[in-house]
Amino acid sequence: MADPVRTHYDKSAHHARPPETAGFRAACNAAKDVWLRQLLSPGRWNVLDVGCGRGGDIGKCIHLAREFGARVDSYVGMDVSAGALEEAFGRLEPMQRELRFDLFLCDAGSARWDCPNESQGLILSHFSAHYWADTPMRWNHFWMEATRVARRGAVMSVAVIDWSVLARLARDRALTTFDSCVQVELCNPAFFDSACLDDLDPHGLKIQVTLPGTLEHTPETCIHPQLLHDTPGAFGWMLQRHESVQSIVGRIGNLETTTQVEIPALDPNEWNALNLYRMYSFVRL
């Protein structure tokens, strides 16, 4: 894990989220809520949250489980930031009578995950997988560990920055801004010199993404969509569905859900920024 990533999230821990990002974050959270509702089914769930950050997704899982007449038996969160895990503990501690939980510091792209074999029924990796996809070795390690800890029939939900959107930005020479909302800088000059962007190896192509009001640039990588179609199959996972976060949010008003999902009004910059992200779901065969 690159030190700047750990440093960024340690520094931002225990600080209120910038108000400028409230609409964008609310839209992403609503998209995850709707997405998980389409993936989950009744039963008892052990949840592993890879790159859990402040632990915000556990509330969604518990809420949805109750909606389905199911329950979350256990939650394991892992993250590279000790500061973020401290906040996650504060969020989870009031639930300890009804929920077994554990949090541990871990670089998901290189370390062994602290979970027993075939123990997890739901694995989440929301807006974090790009941090450990910077080399093929780390990307494959992620899938090997996910395969080891997932039981048969387990579901994995992955949200990543979409390479194809970034490629279009570079091809159109929109090199530094994305509608004034998300700053995009590809740090590998060869990316801009290539006549065929689709042939480039996406591993190691660093980008800088900054939403308005965030503390500093956070270095990230991008993932070619083909990696999420081809790699999982080699480890015994089947791709179920995938959709852009923008399209999920666009459909929320037309969805029939048992719980009302509220989306604040988004300005054009925030709306277009949602198109940078795509959600994938897989099932363990």
Side-chain angles (χ1 to χ4, degrees):
M1 172 65 67
D3 285 339
V5 176
R6 180 185 292 110
T7 300
H8 170 80
Y9 286 107
D10 280 343
K11 286 177 64 176
S12 61
H14 306 294
H15 288 79
R17 299 291 194 183
E20 298 92 335
T21 67
F24 182 86
R25 290 185 289 106
C28 288
N29 283 328
K32 286 189 287 186
D33 186 275
V34 171
W35 181 254
L36 289 172
R37 184 177 282 108
Q38 297 176 88
L39 300 181
L40 298 183
S41 58
R44 302 173 74 91
W45 293 89
N46 294 330
V47 179
L48 169 63
D49 197 347
V50 185
C52 65
R54 304 183 187 201
D57 281 350
I58 183 57
K60 298 180 185 64
C61 294
I62 292 175
H63 164 73
L64 290 172
R66 289 171 179 163
E67 211 175 272
F68 286 122
R71 63 169 289 143
V72 175
D73 282 340
S74 69
Y75 173 85
V76 176
M78 65 187 204
D79 201 273
V80 74
S81 167
L85 289 176
E86 288 176 3
E87 287 204 59
F89 180 83
R91 190 188 299 258
L92 288 162
E93 190 175 22
M95 307 179 192
Q96 58 186 339
R97 290 188 175 181
E98 59 178 304
L99 175 71
R100 290 183 291 112
F101 71 89
D102 193 13
L103 301 170
F104 59 96
L105 199 64
C106 179
D107 178 353
S110 61
R112 181 180 174 86
W113 300 0
D114 194 12
C115 294
N117 295 350
E118 299 185 14
S119 61
Q120 304 301 310
L122 174 63
I123 301 176
L124 307 178
S125 176
H126 287 161
F127 307 108
S128 57
H130 43 271
Y131 289 132
W132 50 79
D134 52 342
T135 69
M137 182 179 296
R138 287 167 59 79
W139 180 239
N140 287 338
H141 179 87
F142 168 79
W143 284 101
M144 285 191 292
E145 282 297 282
T147 303
R148 179 183 65 80
V149 305
R151 62 170 174 77
R152 300 289 177 175
V155 174
M156 179 154 61
S157 174
V158 180
V160 297
I161 296 176
D162 190 336
W163 159 277
S164 60
V165 175
L166 292 171
R168 286 198 300 273
L169 289 173
R171 182 178 289 119
D172 296 340
R173 299 302 181 187
L175 303 183
T176 57
T177 62
F178 183 60
D179 290 333
S180 302
C181 182
V182 176
Q183 306 295 318
V184 178
E185 176 188 353
L186 300 198
C187 303
N188 185 341
F191 185 91
F192 303 114
D193 298 334
S194 173
C196 184
L197 297 171
D198 293 334
D199 289 341
L200 284 175
D201 180 358
H203 290 298
L205 287 177
K206 300 291 184 178
I207 63 173
Q208 305 281 354
V209 176
T210 302
L211 294 174
T214 52
L215 297 179
E216 59 188 44
H217 288 286
T218 304
E220 301 180 350
T221 58
C222 45
I223 298 177
H224 197 291
Q226 200 61 37
L227 284 175
L228 281 158
H229 286 78
D230 294 344
T231 310
F235 292 95
W237 293 83
M238 181 179 68
L239 176 63
Q240 285 183 305
R241 58 191 301 157
H242 56 93
E243 192 172 357
S244 74
V245 172
Q246 186 190 73
S247 65
I248 297 172
V249 173
R251 292 188 297 104
I252 284 177
N254 299 321
L255 291 175
E256 293 183 4
T257 60
T258 56
T259 300
Q260 182 66 35
V261 179
E262 296 184 2
I263 299 291
L266 298 174
D267 66 33
N269 294 336
E270 292 173 315
W271 179 254
N272 287 324
L274 292 174
N275 202 38
L276 274 175
Y277 302 95
R278 183 168 291 271
M279 303 195 75
Y280 292 79
S281 69
F282 305 89
V283 62
R284 177 77 169 92
L285 300 177

